[in-house]
Amino acid sequence: MDAIFYTVQAINGDYASLVTDDGQEHSITMFLLPEGTTLGSRLKQESFQWELV
């Protein structure tokens, strides 16, 4: 599975709004994201694992 890169655009309570480098939007619960994720963070998702980059 290829890696997908996201940028956190907004955090609304327990959810984060993400956008891929291709412009696709995605919403996910903060519980699944790495500790330290904040507005503007760059994230990589690969094999169902999230990582701050």
Side-chain angles (χ1 to χ4, degrees), residues 1-44:
M1 189 171 221
D2 292 336
I4 303 172
F5 291 88
Y6 294 90
T7 302
V8 179
Q9 284 198 319
I11 296 175
N12 300 310
D14 292 336
Y15 290 88
S17 296
L18 312 177
V19 65
T20 65
D21 292 345
D22 296 341
Q24 296 179 6
E25 295 184 8
H26 184 72
S27 181
I28 189 166
T29 180
M30 291 291 291
F31 176 77
L32 297 175
L33 300 178
E35 188 174 326
T37 298
T38 59
L39 187 63
S41 291
R42 291 281 294 159
L43 300 167
K44 178 175 84 169

